[in-house]
């Protein structure tokens, strides 16, 4: 088997360097940009004929990157690539998993259909699986769903004294419980009602018995940050010490990182699924193993 080629479209050089070091893939190159009118320009450099190509492309700005990604994949095939897989550490559109109002696009399913039509396999990290239990329900290609939670648990164990783990909503119960078992700490789960994109209401159960613990809020995604900001406000009113906020994917829409710091959090920590100053947990070894498995073992 020739060495697979890794093409990085998302500019996440920290993750790319880790992947190259841990897989032995060779670095490929694809240039892309938007023309002044918004159309996409894509050019694959080098010879990828008969090669297995792996594209690293976080989908945190999905509408901006979807067209260049599709042009890149289809161009690689026209140029003779043997297979094209996708590493998308952050998988977009997973939260639109339900038609909340008549006529709404069921975007999770439609985006899955779009990606499945172009790539051969997908590796991703902690996709927002809520109403779907498994990506196989909406993706028709082989998918590896990896988790950063064991790494986050190690980080907490190392860095936080007497943590009280807090999941901000019922969806987070699945990972908060698992992380708490590794950290050997107490945990609780809040309940959240979302009224709009930037309007969430969080209620906190009685946490008086854990006074003196450091609250560690743990979520899969920080987007507008309203989920965490609401929870942090409750904890401050209850006179808990400043919270540590941890998430796998830091999207930080609306300068959320600054808002969290102004709200008095002790620290914001994310993985390098999306490049950001808060990255403290490296996913490259987990993702490298997932990608290598696809290329070395036959998939169903
Ligand atoms: C949704 O349930 C997720 O697990 C996150 O809690 C949510 O996406 C965070 O969004 P935001 O930062 O906009 O409140």
């Amino acid at each position: 088997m020739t060495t697979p080629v890794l093409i990085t479209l998302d500019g996440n050089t920290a993750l790319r360097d880790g992947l190259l070091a841990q897989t032995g893939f060779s670095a490929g190159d694809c240039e892309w940009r938007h023309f002044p009118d918004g159309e996409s320009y894509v050019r694959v450099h080098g010879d990828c004929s008969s090669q297995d190509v792996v594209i690293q492309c976080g989908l945190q700005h999905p509408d901006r990157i979807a067209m260049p990604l599709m042009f890149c994949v289809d161009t690689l095939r026209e140029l003779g690539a043997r297979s094209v897989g996708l590493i998308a550490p952050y998988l977009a559109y997973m939260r639109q998993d339900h038609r909340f109002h008549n006529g709404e696009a069921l975007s999770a399913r439609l985006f899955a259909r779009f990606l499945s039509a172009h790539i051969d396999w997908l590796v991703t990290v902690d996709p927002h699986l809520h109403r779907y239990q498994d990506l196989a329900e909406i993706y028709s290609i082989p998918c590896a769903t990896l988790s950063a939670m064991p790494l986050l648990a190690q980080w907490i164990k190392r860095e936080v004294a007497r943590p009280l783990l807090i999941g901000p909503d019922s969806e987070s119960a699945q990972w908060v419980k698992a992380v708490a078992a590794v950290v050997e700490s107490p945990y609780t789960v809040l309940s959240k009602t979302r009224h709009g994109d930037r309007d969430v209401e969080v209620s906190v159960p009685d946490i008086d018995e854990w006074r003196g613990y450091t609250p560690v809020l743990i979520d899969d995604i920080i987007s507008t940050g309203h989920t965490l900001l609401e929870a942090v406000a409750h904890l401050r009113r209850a006179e808990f010490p400043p919270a540590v906020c941890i998430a796998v994917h830091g999207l930080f829409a609306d300068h959320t990182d600054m808002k969290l710091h102004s709200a008095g959090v002790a620290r914001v920590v994310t993985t390098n699924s999306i490049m950001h100053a808060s990255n403290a947990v490296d996913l490259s070894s987990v993702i490298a193993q997932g990608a290598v498995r696809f290329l070395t073992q036959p998939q169903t």
Side-chain angles (χ1 to χ4, degrees):
M1 178 175 142
T2 54
T3 312
V5 176
L6 179 72
I7 288 179
T8 304
L9 292 186
D10 60 5
N12 188 340
T13 48
L15 187 61
R16 177 203 61 195
D17 293 349
L19 290 176
L20 288 173
Q22 296 186 51
T23 57
F25 294 172
S26 59
D29 187 16
C30 177
E31 173 190 351
W32 73 273
R33 63 186 170 85
H34 287 122
F35 287 110
D37 60 9
E39 292 183 359
S40 300
Y41 172 85
V42 169
R43 180 178 176 194
V44 174
H45 292 282
D47 180 9
C48 291
S49 57
S50 309
Q51 306 271 59
D52 292 308
V53 180
V54 180
I55 298 179
Q56 173 202 322
C57 184
L59 295 168
Q60 49 273 21
H61 298 292
D63 296 5
R64 176 172 174 267
I65 194 71
M67 204 53 97
L69 172 62
M70 191 257 273
F71 288 165
C72 174
V73 173
D74 289 5
T75 302
L76 284 163
R77 289 197 200 283
E78 286 172 13
L79 298 175
R82 186 165 59 174
S83 69
V84 185
L86 174 65
I87 294 172
Y90 175 71
L91 186 57
Y93 281 118
M94 289 303 293
R95 290 175 294 169
Q96 276 73 47
D97 57 357
H98 181 69
R99 220 186 291 285
F100 297 95
H101 302 284
N102 288 344
E104 280 180 352
L106 196 42
S107 316
R109 188 176 286 281
L110 298 177
F111 194 65
R113 197 182 297 162
F114 164 75
L115 283 184
S116 299
H118 293 279
I119 54 176
D120 293 316
W121 50 262
L122 169 70
V123 169
T124 190
V125 182
D126 292 305
H128 189 77
L129 290 168
H130 176 38
R131 291 178 182 85
Y132 301 119
Q133 302 293 302
D134 196 302
L135 289 180
E137 291 172 47
I138 50 175
Y139 280 79
S140 57
I141 49 169
C143 296
T145 299
L146 311 174
S147 180
M149 294 302 167
L151 294 174
L152 297 188
Q154 294 308 329
W155 188 91
I156 296 166
K157 220 171 167 161
R158 236 181 12 250
E159 304 285 337
V160 186
R162 295 194 84 201
L164 164 64
L165 297 195
I166 304 177
D169 52 26
S170 58
E171 288 144 72
S172 62
Q174 42 178 323
W175 57 78
V176 174
K177 196 172 162 188
V179 171
V182 177
V183 178
E184 298 176 283
S185 70
Y187 74 92
T188 186
V189 174
L190 316 184
S191 71
K192 174 172 96 180
T193 312
R194 186 177 281 282
H195 302 292
D197 294 348
R198 295 176 176 79
D199 184 8
V200 296
E201 201 180 313
V202 168
S203 63
V204 179
D206 188 1
I207 48 174
D208 246 22
E209 61 177 300
W210 293 304
R211 212 155 270 291
Y213 281 74
T214 304
V216 179
L217 285 152
I218 176 161
D219 210 348
D220 56 347
I221 302 166
I222 304 176
S223 180
T224 67
H226 281 269
T227 302
L228 293 182
L229 285 164
E230 275 293 304
V232 165
H234 278 286
L235 292 166
R236 281 186 73 100
R237 279 196 295 274
E239 295 179 353
F240 268 75
V244 176
C245 294
I246 303 190
V248 181
H249 309 291
L251 297 174
F252 298 117
D254 304 344
H255 305 293
T256 313
D257 41 355
M258 276 155 19
K259 289 182 191 165
L260 284 166
H261 287 297
S262 308
V265 304
R267 187 157 176 196
V268 179
V269 168
T270 58
T271 75
N272 60 354
S273 82
I274 299 168
M275 272 216 295
H276 186 263
S278 60
N279 292 169
V281 175
D282 177 22
L283 294 179
S284 57
S285 63
V286 173
I287 295 178
Q289 285 168 26
V292 167
R293 258 199 313 274
F294 268 110
L295 291 163
T296 53
Q297 292 167 13
Q299 302 296 319
T300 51

